């Protein structure tokens, strides 16, 4: 299409201009981002797409510009579902978080801590159970964080206050993972860690490591994400009584190993990824099939999901297909978000095998589970980008329809 061709040429020209401006050759740029000179040349001439968003991110980092500079418009305009309501939520949340760095004004009457704690729990339930969780949680998030701060400051029950405030920051970090938010996700993750340390709560400390690792992984720092998880897991293990291990601490220990396994997989550390996954599997088995952490949803089903995500990250496409065929999404996976994520991983594996039509159909099933998760997924945008531009006509109509509904295509 003419629009696609214009976009190709525009992005390619911007990359070439930025590269020349810093005195970099195509060879040097190719070496820095792990691509070939032929690939760089084709992208700059508009003969091919920079197929994945991480490619553009790496190019922007190397030549010292922003994604906006390369694509000619704010990245937020390319994010399906990031309309005024989400932008307003990010702005409001940023204001609350930044204001809380100093003395917090006394609220009279102060929010009831038990009531705020119940609202945090409800936000987590919504996050995992509602097909429109991002919209619903976003609608209450700024007020929830503000009230959690006020309740923590005024309540005599500092343990519950810390857990409530940390929970509010954790759900905020989860929400921010899906929208362009600059450095706000880093600030929120750091706040959750600070609160956990101040309260000396091993569960909160462990989950703050989990949250921080997700922020690192989202930024592409997979080795650091893995390191943070393993350091947090070692610290947590030292505080678990093996004779009477609390379930929430065991669940947090398993969660940290799952996150570490994903980071290792993205770093192409095959054996290490599966060894870490095995620790999580053993932990889930010890907790039993009925266990599910209310915040992280760690449990037997979640461990199975991560096996598929790890296989996809390692490029084991046949394993993804086999695991997906044996996965009972409806009975073993209690989270809408995780069910949608599993289907997205399945589609990713199918696409890498060249099974475009099957990948498109799986993405449609993921959209049925939760259109919101699919329309706001960066991974889905990358997959649709590949499906739309590749000449596999049987999949193209499915992919274009989904891309239009998600706002990725306007025509």
């Amino acid at each position: 299409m003419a629009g696609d061709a214009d976009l190709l040429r525009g992005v390619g020209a911007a990359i070439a201009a930025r590269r020349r401006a810093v005195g970099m050759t195509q060879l040097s740029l190719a070496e820095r981002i792990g691509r070939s000179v032929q690939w760089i040349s084709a992208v700059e001439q508009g003969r091919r797409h920079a197929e994945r968003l991480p490619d553009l991110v790496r190019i922007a980092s190397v030549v010292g510009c922003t994604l906006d500079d390369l694509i000619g418009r704010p990245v937020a305009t390319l994010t399906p579902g990031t309309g005024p309501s989400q932008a307003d939520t990010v702005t409001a949340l940023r204001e609350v978080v930044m204001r809380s760095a100093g003395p917090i004004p006394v609220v009279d009457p102060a929010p009831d801590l038990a009531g705020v704690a119940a609202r945090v729990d409800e936000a987590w339930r919504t996050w995992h159970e509602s097909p429109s969780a991002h919209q619903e949680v976003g609608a209450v998030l700024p007020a929830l964080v503000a009230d959690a701060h006020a309740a923590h400051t005024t309540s005599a029950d500092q343990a519950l206050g810390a857990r409530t405030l940390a929970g509010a920051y954790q759900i905020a970090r989860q929400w921010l993972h899906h929208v362009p938010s600059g450095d706000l996700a880093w600030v929120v993750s750091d706040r959750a860690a600070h609160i956990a340390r101040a309260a000396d709560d091993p569960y909160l400390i462990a989950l703050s490591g989990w949250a921080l690792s997700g922020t690192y992984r989202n930024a592409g720092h997979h080795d650091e994400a893995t390191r943070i998880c393993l350091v947090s897991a070692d610290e947590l293990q030292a505080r678990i009584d093996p004779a009477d291990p609390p379930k929430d601490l065991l669940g947090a220990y398993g969660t940290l190993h799952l996150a570490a396994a994903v980071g290792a997989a993205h770093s192409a550390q095959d054996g290490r990824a599966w060894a870490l996954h095995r620790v999580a599997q053993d932990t889930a088995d010890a907790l039993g099939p009925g266990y599910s952490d209310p915040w992280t949803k760690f449990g037997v089903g979640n461990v199975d999901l991560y096996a598929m995500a790890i296989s996809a990250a390692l490029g084991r496409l046949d394993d993804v297909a086999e695991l997906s065929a044996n996965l009972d999404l409806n009975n073993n996976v209690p989270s809408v978000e995780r069910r949608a994520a599993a289907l997205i991983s399945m589609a990713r594996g199918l696409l890498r095998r060249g099974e475009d039509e099957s990948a498109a159909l799986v993405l449609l099933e993921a959209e049925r589970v939760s259109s919101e998760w699919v329309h706001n997924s960066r991974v889905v945008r990358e997959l649709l980008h590949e499906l739309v531009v590749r000449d596999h006509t049987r999949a193209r109509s499915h992919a274009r329809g989904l891309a239009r509904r998600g706002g990725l295509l306007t025509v």
Side-chain angles (χ1 to χ4, degrees), residues 369-389:
V369 170
S370 175
S371 60
E372 185 184 64
W373 288 122
V374 170
H375 295 168
N376 285 284
S377 168
R378 296 179 183 179
V379 174
V380 170
R381 294 200 302 278
E382 293 179 21
L383 298 179
L384 287 172
H385 177 83
E386 291 188 42
L387 281 168
V388 168
V389 301

Side-chain angles (χ1 to χ4, degrees), residues 6 18 29 80 83 91 154 163-164 183 218 242 250 256 271 390:
D6 290 342
R18 292 284 172 175
L29 177 58
T91 299
T154 57
R163 192 177 184 92
T164 300
D183 60 351
N218 196 39
L250 282 181
L256 287 166
R390 276 163 40 166

Side-chain angles (χ1 to χ4, degrees), residues 14-94:
I15 292 172
R18 292 284 172 175
R19 174 180 59 76
R20 295 189 188 105
V22 296
M24 186 175 292
T25 65
Q26 287 185 339
L27 175 60
S28 179
L29 177 58
E31 290 174 343
R32 294 282 296 278
I33 70 169
R35 288 287 192 172
S36 67
V37 174
Q38 292 77 14
W39 187 90
I40 293 291
S41 177
V43 168
E44 289 189 350
Q45 293 175 33
R47 292 186 287 107
R48 71 170 298 160
H49 281 278
E51 293 167 351
R52 303 181 66 230
L53 185 60
D55 289 324
L56 288 175
V57 171
R58 285 193 291 269
I59 291 171
S61 175
V62 169
V63 301
C65 69
T66 68
L67 278 179
D68 294 3
D69 295 327
L70 296 184
I71 64 179
R73 50 177 166 157
V75 177
T77 66
L78 300 181
T79 306
T82 308
S85 62
Q86 285 191 338
D88 291 346
T89 298
V90 171
T91 299
L93 183 60
R94 185 184 299 278

Side-chain angles (χ1 to χ4, degrees), residues 19-307:
R19 174 180 59 76
R20 295 189 188 105
V22 296
M24 186 175 292
T25 65
Q26 287 185 339
L27 175 60
S28 179
L29 177 58
E31 290 174 343
R32 294 282 296 278
I33 70 169
R35 288 287 192 172
S36 67
V37 174
Q38 292 77 14
W39 187 90
I40 293 291
S41 177
V43 168
E44 289 189 350
Q45 293 175 33
R47 292 186 287 107
R48 71 170 298 160
H49 281 278
E51 293 167 351
R52 303 181 66 230
L53 185 60
D55 289 324
L56 288 175
V57 171
R58 285 193 291 269
I59 291 171
S61 175
V62 169
V63 301
C65 69
T66 68
L67 278 179
D68 294 3
D69 295 327
L70 296 184
I71 64 179
R73 50 177 166 157
V75 177
T77 66
L78 300 181
T79 306
T82 308
S85 62
Q86 285 191 338
D88 291 346
T89 298
V90 171
T91 299
L93 183 60
R94 185 184 299 278
E95 184 176 339
V96 169
V97 170
M98 296 307 160
R99 186 180 298 157
S100 67
I104 300 173
V106 176
V107 179
D108 188 21
D112 173 63
L113 176 58
V116 178
R119 287 162 55 195
V120 170
D121 290 341
E122 179 61 28
W124 278 104
R125 279 193 295 272
T126 300
W127 184 257
H128 287 296
E129 296 175 8
S130 172
S132 56
H134 207 265
Q135 178 181 351
E136 293 178 41
V137 171
V140 303
L141 198 52
L144 182 62
V145 173
D147 288 350
H149 261 292
H152 176 251
T153 302
T154 57
S155 175
D157 189 345
Q158 287 298 292
L160 179 58
R163 192 177 184 92
T164 300
L165 182 53
Y169 270 126
Q170 294 280 16
I171 192 70
R173 200 279 306 178
Q174 289 282 85
W175 189 88
L176 287 166
H177 179 77
H178 298 272
V179 298
S181 59
D183 60 351
L184 188 56
W186 294 93
V187 175
V188 166
S189 297
D190 184 68
R191 291 285 180 84
H194 177 76
I195 296 159
R197 291 289 175 188
D200 194 31
D201 184 317
Y203 177 78
L204 296 181
I205 291 171
L207 261 60
S208 68
W210 166 68
L212 190 59
S213 75
T215 304
Y216 271 99
R217 195 166 60 249
N218 196 39
H221 303 301
H222 300 295
D223 289 340
E224 183 63 15
T226 301
R227 187 194 70 81
I228 288 170
C229 286
L230 295 181
V231 168
S232 299
D234 287 344
E235 180 180 359
L236 180 60
Q237 186 177 34
R239 300 181 67 165
I240 295 176
D241 180 0
D244 185 23
K247 285 191 173 184
D248 63 340
L249 298 190
L250 282 181
Y253 185 77
T255 294
L256 287 166
H257 279 83
L258 281 184
V262 171
H266 280 287
S267 299
Q269 298 173 347
D270 191 311
R272 190 185 193 194
W274 289 116
L276 293 168
H277 181 268
R278 183 64 197 178
V279 174
Q281 180 72 69
D282 291 344
T283 304
D285 290 343
L287 287 166
Y291 180 82
S292 176
D293 184 272
W295 288 5
T296 69
K297 291 301 176 186
F298 178 81
V300 173
N302 208 27
V303 171
D304 291 341
L305 284 186
Y306 271 79

